[in-house]
Amino acid sequence: MFEQPTAAFREGFPQDTAAGRIPFDKMGTIVIFGATGDLAGRKLIPAIYNLWEAGYLPPEVNVVGVARREKSDDDYRTDMCEELKKHSRTGHGGDDACNPFVSNLFYHRVNFAENADLTSLAQRLTEIEDERETPHNRLFYLATGPEFFAPLVQRLGEAGLVYGPNDSNWSRVVIEKPFGNDLESARQLNQAITRVLTEEQIYRIDHYLGKETVQNIFAFRFGNAIFEPLFNQKYVDHVQITVAETLGVEGRGEFYDATGALHDVVQNHALQLLCLAAMEPPVEFRAKDIRDEKLKALRSIHLPNTKEPSEWLVRGQYAEGFGEPGYLSEEEVDPNSETETFVALRLSVDNWRWAGVPFFIRSGKRLKKRLTEIAIQFRKPPLQYFKKLGVDAPEANELVFRIQPKEAISLSFNAKPPGMDFQIRPVNMDFRYGRTFREDLPDAYERLLLDALRGDSTLFTRADEIEVAWQIVNSIRDAWQGLPPPELYRPRSWGPASADRMFDCCQGHWRTPEDEDEWRSP
Ligand code: BG6
């Protein structure tokens, strides 16, 4: 039913690694555990397809889906064609485009919930690779529930699916989030998987690190000489990190109710963004050096030393509104739940560069806008020259990394509008991805999958980073033991009103960009 790529196609594939391509002999079979799940259909298969279509992967790329349901290869191929039609970023994946690609897909049933061993999978992989004359390298992607991470890694080892450092082939394991649900469980998971794998074989995913705009923070900070000297306590008043979503829990009530905004987004995405904004320049632009610097930034984080945690920590829960249920009425959510769907907090990065600069983080669901950004708020000018002219004090300069949507970097400064009187008004210098590069941004999973296949772990989190992030989050949780239950907030707002109290200590207020275009020139 499904066409095979022809040998001529393979022979025509360039064997160099220019422009990030993976040559045929370096490629590995991609094995997805949890192959019938949402992540595989919505993100992973479309990402592999887009990489393949763009020529980053050789024409014969083996993708083996592993899950518990009974299914034939052809059933799986048909299902994935449907997913591609719905989710491929390039808008392709219709039947014609889908056909040669999905013939690379295979399905293998394993009931890993019952700890079935993986010997049959090992045999199947060898058969597929031998038959298609492809290398025996393997990338295992664990897109399953977190309870299967440690047992699956153990079973991979037992089935002989993990190569040693002296083997000529490679095996790597990508582990989805959540990586643990507190410090202790993250440590246990790290211990369990490192009994089987070396750190170099482990790729812990935080999909935020694969976003183009997040990677561009490196380019912006360390590829320009003019901004980096300003990134410190002498010039920066405070930093605001926002990860706001308009969606609610979207059918993930059970997972979310056991997780909450602090664990779901702050422990990983928000703290990773903070690291990239706050870290020192790495010795070299390679995985170890970058991760060392991120780790140092994380280790410098401290929570405010006050008796009253509500001065720096606010939790909220979305109420009913706009025809949509409140959090407590969502399916599979405990109607008395105290899980937070919004969290805002202030912390400090106590190192030479950032001492005394507050870092504010907020994240929540059902907020006014889908918006992820890092805003660096600079200090105000030291003298108020224009006050005598009756001119309002100029606004502080602001540098905003708009991670999504409408990806951009914007710098605001003050200017005099034309006219016979003297006024001052903030204006913006903007760089917009869409306008400058005029190409569709790749999905984060495309970049991360390609990096894992290439063996580049720069954009994945290391064991020690994850553990320090959990330490911070554990301390935040300890601090909120004394707080009242989360405060209700109106959907399509910027969260509970009490989040504003956090600025009592400092200048400024939460940014509330009303309209994406308002804060940037047309
Ligand atoms: C995930 C969280 O890690 O990130 C989700 O589990 C959240 O709750 C999602 O919606 C946000 O990712 P993105 O890429 O849509 O900003």
Side-chain angles (χ1 to χ4, degrees):
M1 173 181 175
F2 293 98
E3 279 169 37
Q4 297 291 329
T6 61
F9 194 10
R10 181 197 289 185
E11 277 149 25
F13 186 75
Q15 288 298 295
D16 64 282
T17 51
R21 265 192 301 264
I22 301 191
F24 182 74
D25 62 329
K26 299 276 187 313
M27 185 56 194
T29 297
I30 304 170
V31 183
I32 303 175
F33 286 90
T36 53
D38 179 62
L39 182 70
R42 206 165 39 84
K43 292 286 183 187
L44 302 182
I45 296 292
I48 298 168
Y49 170 72
N50 289 336
L51 289 170
W52 178 86
E53 192 199 23
Y56 287 108
L57 305 181
E60 279 180 5
V61 43
N62 304 326
V63 181
V64 180
V66 181
R68 288 172 270 180
R69 285 181 222 164
E70 230 18 288
K71 224 180 244 296
S72 68
D73 286 345
D74 272 357
D75 290 344
Y76 188 57
R77 290 167 181 171
T78 307
D79 292 350
M80 291 305 116
C81 272
E82 288 307 310
E83 297 288 1
L84 281 173
K85 279 182 212 159
K86 283 189 266 175
H87 303 297
S88 166
R89 166 180 68 84
T90 51
H92 304 159
D95 286 334
D96 290 349
C98 193
N99 240 325
F101 171 71
V102 292
S103 58
N104 290 298
L105 305 188
F106 301 86
Y107 184 81
H108 188 77
R109 179 177 181 267
V110 174
N111 195 346
F112 46 80
E114 288 177 3
N115 276 343
D117 78 47
L118 299 179
T119 322
S120 68
L121 175 67
Q123 282 162 0
R124 181 88 199 275
L125 293 180
T126 309
E127 274 164 30
I128 294 170
E129 289 158 348
D130 286 349
E131 191 179 314
R132 305 186 90 205
E133 297 175 19
T134 53
H136 287 225
N137 303 319
R138 281 122 193 205
L139 181 72
F140 298 100
Y141 197 117
L142 309 191
T144 64
E147 67 278 23
F148 298 119
F149 295 163
L152 275 174
V153 169
Q154 191 188 331
R155 302 244 129 51
L156 286 174
E158 287 164 0
L161 282 165
V162 175
Y163 296 114
N166 298 326
D167 287 318
S168 54
N169 288 106
W170 56 258
S171 44
R172 302 180 189 129
V173 180
V174 180
I175 302 188
E176 259 299 327
K177 72 180 271 270
F179 195 93
N181 49 33
D182 58 13
L183 176 60
E184 196 39 46
S185 55
R187 267 193 192 141
Q188 281 170 7
L189 183 52
N190 273 331
Q191 280 163 6
I193 61 178
T194 49
R195 275 198 282 273
V196 180
L197 304 163
T198 61
E199 183 61 36
E200 291 66 39
Q201 291 173 313
I202 305 171
Y203 288 70
R204 298 174 195 80
I205 255 194
D206 180 326
H207 77 280
Y208 262 59
L209 291 177
K211 291 185 191 272
E212 277 290 324
T213 40
V214 172
Q215 294 168 58
N216 193 39
I217 299 171
F218 289 122
F220 183 91
R221 286 195 56 199
F222 307 130
N224 296 296
I226 57 172
F227 299 109
E228 193 50 22
L230 306 178
F231 267 56
N232 58 53
Q233 38 79 21
K234 190 164 176 212
Y235 298 102
V236 176
D237 182 77
H238 70 267
V239 178
Q240 287 186 33
I241 296 171
T242 298
V243 183
E245 296 180 84
T246 48
L247 296 177
V249 294
E250 304 305 299
R252 294 196 306 157
E254 188 183 348
F255 160 79
Y256 198 85
D257 209 31
T259 308
L262 181 68
H263 287 194
D264 189 36
V265 169
V266 174
Q267 188 272 343
N268 36 73
H269 310 326
L271 285 180
Q272 287 293 326
L273 292 180
L274 185 152
C275 284
L276 300 189
M279 67 188 262
E280 294 298 323
V283 176
E284 273 185 54
F285 197 72
R286 53 177 192 154
K288 178 182 180 311
D289 297 319
I290 290 175
R291 300 199 292 183
D292 284 351
E293 294 307 332
K294 280 165 57 198
L295 179 69
K296 282 194 226 161
L298 281 170
R299 288 183 50 208
S300 310
I301 290 180
H302 287 100
L303 307 183
N305 189 10
T306 59
K307 284 212 179 70
E308 197 37 79
S310 62
E311 288 170 14
W312 59 271
L313 178 59
V314 167
R315 292 180 303 158
Q317 216 176 52
Y318 60 81
E320 182 190 343
F322 299 97
E324 293 183 302
Y327 178 68
L328 295 182
S329 313
E330 295 277 16
E331 268 175 45
E332 296 177 350
V333 166
D334 173 359
N336 299 312
S337 172
E338 294 195 356
T339 297
E340 77 292 350
T341 60
F342 173 95
V343 65
L345 54 104
R346 169 165 55 87
L347 37 79
S348 55
V349 180
D350 292 335
N351 57 23
W352 195 266
R353 184 191 281 264
W354 293 113
V357 177
F359 281 69
F360 296 88
I361 294 178
R362 70 180 158 169
S363 175
K365 295 213 180 266
R366 281 273 156 76
L367 295 180
K368 183 147 193 166
K369 291 217 163 290
R370 174 169 180 256
L371 171 74
T372 300
E373 62 169 34
I374 304 174
I376 314 282
Q377 298 267 347
F378 291 95
R379 291 189 188 282
K380 291 201 165 179
L383 293 177
Q384 297 295 332
Y385 275 123
F386 310 113
K387 215 171 170 180
K388 285 195 196 118
L389 305 176
V391 172
D392 288 342
E395 290 192 11
N397 304 115
E398 203 171 57
L399 175 68
V400 179
F401 296 91
R402 171 70 77 103
I403 309 295
Q404 65 187 24
K406 297 196 178 174
E407 296 78 2
I409 296 179
S410 176
L411 177 66
S412 79
F413 56 94
N414 295 299
K416 177 191 173 302
M420 294 305 144
D421 57 347
F422 192 91
Q423 292 297 330
I424 288 195
R425 211 184 73 193
V427 292
N428 295 318
M429 264 192 325
D430 297 334
F431 148 65
R432 292 203 208 179
Y433 281 76
R435 201 192 285 157
T436 306
F437 295 124
R438 295 187 188 281
E439 22 181 297
D440 205 10
L441 297 182
D443 187 75
Y445 280 94
E446 291 172 36
R447 173 63 196 240
L448 295 173
L449 269 162
L450 190 63
D451 279 1
L453 287 165
R454 291 192 286 220
D456 182 348
S457 54
T458 309
L459 300 175
F460 294 82
T461 35
R462 207 167 54 188
D464 45 10
E465 279 180 74
I466 292 235
E467 291 185 13
V468 177
W470 274 119
Q471 247 161 26
I472 297 164
V473 162
N474 272 14
S475 313
I476 297 170
R477 281 205 80 97
D478 289 348
W480 81 32
Q481 295 313 326
L483 289 180
E487 189 178 323
L488 285 184
Y489 60 91
R490 275 186 306 113
R492 303 195 196 171
S493 70
W494 284 106
S498 56
D500 294 342
R501 265 208 317 264
M502 238 162 262
F503 282 87
D504 288 353
C505 66
C506 330
Q507 286 188 38
H509 49 79
W510 287 112
R511 286 170 41 79
T512 53
E514 285 302 315
D515 174 3
E516 272 101 56
D517 293 320
E518 190 184 286
W519 60 285
R520 293 174 302 189
S521 350

